[in-house]
Amino acid sequence: MRPRAADLRNSSTITEFVLVGFEHSSPSTRALLFALFLALYSLAMAMNGLIIFITWTDPRLNSPMYFFLGHLSFLDVCFITTTIPQMLIHLVTKNHTVSFAACLTQMYLVFCVGVAECILLAFMAYDQYVAICHPLNYAQIMSRQVCVRLVSTAWVFGMINGIFLEYVSFRNPFCRDNHIENFFCEATIVIALSCGDHQFIMKMIFADAIVVLLSPMALIIISYALILASILGRASSSGRGKTFSTCASHLTVVIFFYTSAMFSYMNPRSTHGPDKDKPFSLLYTIVTPMCNPIIYSFRNREMKGAMVRALGRAGLAQAESV
């Protein structure tokens, strides 16, 4: 006989969670991981911060592509700041508990920023399509007003979808073990700790993932299919190479992000486990945000030039102050 909702509420005793993370690792291993993740976090913050600065201040980078790239870097900064500082603290302290409210807030921010990034990556693919397939009308189609609306759409949809996923995840009380086998409040793991029908909640998460992940991916695939058809129709091999190089950066970022997100939220729960969840969680919480600016900057001459100019101005200003 299924327990009544009132009974479930009465049995709810969990007021905090324990993030197991790397708790079972040796002290030397945790010290090594702390140094490694601190270096990666610092690099990701510095690189994304530099991209935000130059895309918003350098007048030579006033195209829609760099406008979107600046917002992508801002989303990456929000994403890693939501999860990594807490993990670093837990690597050097013995207290790994987080309050119920803190866990709820962290999950909402991960949902919100993650969904916004999915949608923004799709809009960036559409921008590539318009730039390559409709170059004469590009400025008119991708006007500043349109770009602002697209970015706002990504943020608003991320916020609304985050509220929905938060409600679905926390609709049942928690009366089981409060240990989370990860370094942050991963939705699929938290849901497994709740009372009631897990299958219904996971089906809702899966259905949402189809809309949030596969719909933007469909737009990305269609955009690049049209780009590929346009490229193959060109006679100039040099033009093809330049276009492929421009698209390669975005495609690399898409593959990194979508692979890890689809594993986490579209795989059956039976295929999950601490040994599988942590690597993919690390991939989309720290590796991808760190790689995004590196991928874009190293494959783009304008970005490299803007970075050199920005660093040069900073060095000159420091020299003058001395």
Side-chain angles (χ1 to χ4, degrees):
M1 180 174 156
R2 189 174 176 179
R4 293 176 300 174
D7 296 333
L8 290 177
R9 291 191 187 94
N10 291 336
S11 64
S12 179
T13 57
I14 291 179
T15 58
E16 62 183 17
F17 294 97
V18 178
L19 297 177
V20 176
F22 303 96
E23 189 178 56
H24 301 305
S25 302
S26 64
S28 58
T29 301
R30 290 201 299 271
L32 179 62
L33 290 174
F34 175 82
L36 174 63
F37 292 142
L38 178 61
L40 293 177
Y41 175 70
S42 301
L43 179 62
M45 289 293 289
M47 292 292 291
N48 281 293
L50 181 59
I51 285 183
I52 293 170
F53 176 75
I54 62 177
T55 53
W56 292 358
T57 60
D58 195 320
R60 302 184 193 185
L61 303 180
N62 60 356
S63 69
M65 181 179 75
Y66 297 113
F67 177 77
F68 290 132
L69 181 56
H71 283 275
L72 179 65
S73 290
F74 182 72
L75 284 170
D76 284 337
V77 167
C78 294
F79 206 94
I80 56 178
T81 304
T82 301
T83 56
I84 303 305
Q86 181 187 65
M87 180 186 68
L88 293 173
I89 293 172
H90 288 175
L91 281 171
V92 295
T93 61
K94 294 182 179 180
N95 183 13
H96 295 172
T97 61
V98 291
S99 67
F100 189 91
C103 190
L104 186 147
T105 303
Q106 185 182 60
M107 278 181 59
Y108 173 77
L109 292 173
V110 169
F111 283 142
C112 174
V113 176
V115 170
E117 187 158 339
C118 284
I119 297 172
L120 184 62
L121 287 171
F123 289 153
M124 291 176 74
Y126 176 72
D127 172 65
Q128 297 271 25
Y129 157 72
V130 176
I132 294 169
C133 299
H134 302 281
L136 298 180
N137 299 321
Y138 178 66
Q140 181 180 359
I141 297 174
M142 299 301 295
S143 64
R144 186 74 172 185
Q145 188 177 16
V146 170
C147 292
V148 170
R149 287 177 179 175
L150 291 177
V151 170
S152 300
T153 299
W155 274 106
V156 171
F157 194 86
M159 293 176 184
I160 295 174
N161 193 256
I163 294 172
F164 167 73
L165 291 174
E166 196 85 333
Y167 168 74
V168 170
S169 302
F170 288 89
R171 65 191 298 269
N172 289 333
F174 291 83
C175 55
R176 301 175 189 268
D177 183 21
N178 67 338
H179 286 69
I180 298 174
E181 293 285 345
N182 212 326
F183 58 87
F184 74 103
C185 292
E186 179 76 59
T188 52
I189 302 176
V190 173
I191 291 169
L193 301 178
S194 66
C195 305
D197 187 2
H198 298 159
Q199 293 300 321
F200 172 77
I201 299 175
M202 292 308 299
K203 286 177 182 177
M204 294 291 288
I205 296 285
F206 184 84
D208 183 80
I210 291 176
V211 176
V212 170
L213 291 175
L214 296 189
S215 297
M217 183 178 287
L219 178 59
I220 293 171
I221 292 172
I222 292 171
S223 297
Y224 278 106
L226 295 173
I227 289 172
L228 182 62
S230 176
I231 292 173
L232 294 178
R234 296 179 182 178
S236 172
S237 59
S238 60
R240 292 179 187 174
K242 184 178 179 181
T243 305
F244 275 125
S245 178
T246 303
C247 297
S249 301
H250 181 255
L251 275 173
T252 305
V253 170
V254 167
I255 291 170
F256 267 119
F257 186 83
Y258 274 84
T259 300
S260 55
M262 290 179 71
F263 175 86
S264 297
Y265 297 102
M266 297 192 71
N267 260 12
R269 184 62 202 163
S270 59
T271 64
H272 288 241
D275 294 336
K276 295 180 180 179
D277 288 335
K278 286 178 191 174
F280 277 92
S281 296
L282 287 170
L283 179 62
Y284 73 83
T285 56
I286 189 167
V287 176
T288 301
M290 181 197 69
C291 289
N292 286 356
I294 296 175
I295 292 169
Y296 276 105
S297 60
F298 277 118
R299 298 190 63 90
N300 190 302
R301 290 183 180 179
E302 291 180 340
M303 284 297 300
K304 286 189 283 189
M307 286 184 175
V308 170
R309 289 193 296 272
L311 294 173
R313 288 196 300 269
L316 181 61
Q318 187 177 7
E320 290 178 350
S321 63
V322 174

